[in-house]
Amino acid sequence: MFESLPAVFAYTFGGSNLSILDVHVKELPAAQNSIDLFAGQWSSILPSTSGLVAAPGTAALFDDGRLDWAIKLFGGVDGLDILELGPLEAGHTYMLHQAGAKAITAIESNSRAFLKCLCIKEVFGLPRARFLLGDFIAYLRQRKHKFDLVVASGVLYHMTDPLELIELMAAASDKVYIWTHYYDPSLIQNNPLQSKKFGRPHRIERKGVSYEVALQSYLDALKWNGFTGGGAETSLWLTRDSLLEALRVVGFDEVTVAFEQPDHQHGPALALCARRSAA
């Protein structure tokens, strides 16, 4: 299970044929050493000014135009108390911190992603960010604190119950930023890489409202050590119309959609900012 991982990381997670001496890094202390703990498992491109390389790293999550758009649309985040769901590798945490957020509580359930976030916090110095390891659904269910903004990028389509997540986010804040994939029958079925992952679309009812959804299966993606999907073998994708309806039902009467990508390789996607008009 661990043969493709660096010795330090493998030993830490129970590699069987390693000596305690293998946990020592013998190179000159450097930020790159922290990044190399997860060599071959990074999704993000680190800031070019850092000079650090995170392999294979293809997603510009530390310089994400979608989040930059949301920050500007909400009038900035300077001084805000933010809840971030699924920070992955802390790219958006870094951006929110750079934009002046007062506090960022970032909750990550993937233990490897959580450790990557801690590496990033140390490497880039993010004192106003706090990373918690655990299930953000469980956290939201017992939450007593209200946040100025909830950031939920790349998590909704990993949920087995996306409608509950929308309800919980609405209870936690009057402002929400979401980037997500959604189900579109014609677009998905015409994509051979995607169509095999989905069951037939069907409707479910929640509190008297009907929503169209489709069951998605991760299949071979679960075999990759760098897998960053949900905590179950399947998830439930909402259609675009059902997503917008769900936001309306929980009280978000101002929804702005941008960055529509119907031809995204992993399925149709969009970014949105939702708020209650009184907020």
Side-chain angles (χ1 to χ4, degrees), residues 3-226:
E3 54 266 10
S4 64
L5 302 180
V8 173
F9 188 80
Y11 188 91
T12 301
F13 277 80
S16 57
N17 297 316
L18 294 169
S19 162
I20 184 64
L21 298 179
D22 291 321
V23 304
H24 293 272
V25 175
K26 299 176 182 178
E27 289 80 14
L28 186 70
Q32 187 65 52
N33 294 341
S34 298
I35 304 303
D36 289 344
L37 283 173
F38 298 92
Q41 296 183 36
W42 288 91
S43 298
S44 307
I45 303 169
L46 299 184
S48 59
T49 54
S50 71
L52 300 173
V53 178
T58 58
L61 299 179
F62 284 75
D63 184 20
D64 191 337
R66 299 166 299 184
L67 183 60
D68 189 52
W69 162 79
I71 290 171
K72 291 175 181 175
L73 191 67
F74 282 131
V77 297
D78 189 49
L80 298 191
D81 186 6
I82 298 173
L83 176 64
E84 183 183 7
L85 307 181
L88 184 61
E89 295 168 353
H92 288 171
T93 320
Y94 170 86
M95 289 185 65
L96 294 166
H97 197 280
Q98 292 290 95
K102 178 180 72 174
I104 307 158
T105 301
I107 303 175
E108 179 58 64
S109 65
N110 182 307
S111 57
R112 294 183 182 182
F114 171 74
L115 292 174
K116 290 180 190 177
C117 288
L118 296 186
C119 289
I120 293 298
K121 179 176 180 176
E122 179 63 26
V123 167
F124 290 100
L126 307 177
R128 300 190 306 279
R130 181 188 181 203
F131 294 96
L132 301 176
L133 176 61
D135 182 358
F136 58 65
I137 292 292
Y139 175 88
L140 285 165
R141 285 173 180 162
Q142 58 81 52
R143 169 210 57 82
K144 297 180 176 62
H145 181 72
K146 189 108 174 186
F147 292 88
D148 297 315
L149 172 66
V150 173
V151 172
S153 181
V155 297
L156 188 65
Y157 59 95
H158 289 309
M159 297 294 101
T160 56
D161 188 349
L163 294 172
E164 181 186 17
L165 177 55
I166 290 172
E167 292 166 355
L168 290 170
M169 288 191 294
S173 181
D174 293 325
K175 298 177 183 178
V176 174
Y177 165 71
I178 295 172
W179 182 87
T180 187
H181 292 294
Y182 60 89
Y183 184 80
D184 183 294
S186 60
L187 294 172
I188 293 289
Q189 294 307 318
N190 288 330
N191 183 334
L193 295 177
Q194 291 297 311
S195 59
K196 64 182 180 180
K197 296 169 53 180
F198 288 89
R200 295 178 62 85
H202 59 282
R203 302 198 74 85
I204 59 174
E205 187 170 305
R206 183 81 156 219
K207 299 178 180 178
V209 181
S210 178
Y211 302 94
E212 187 174 20
V213 298
L215 186 71
Q216 182 269 159
S217 299
Y218 290 109
L219 303 178
D220 290 344
L222 294 170
K223 299 176 183 178
W224 181 45
N225 281 335

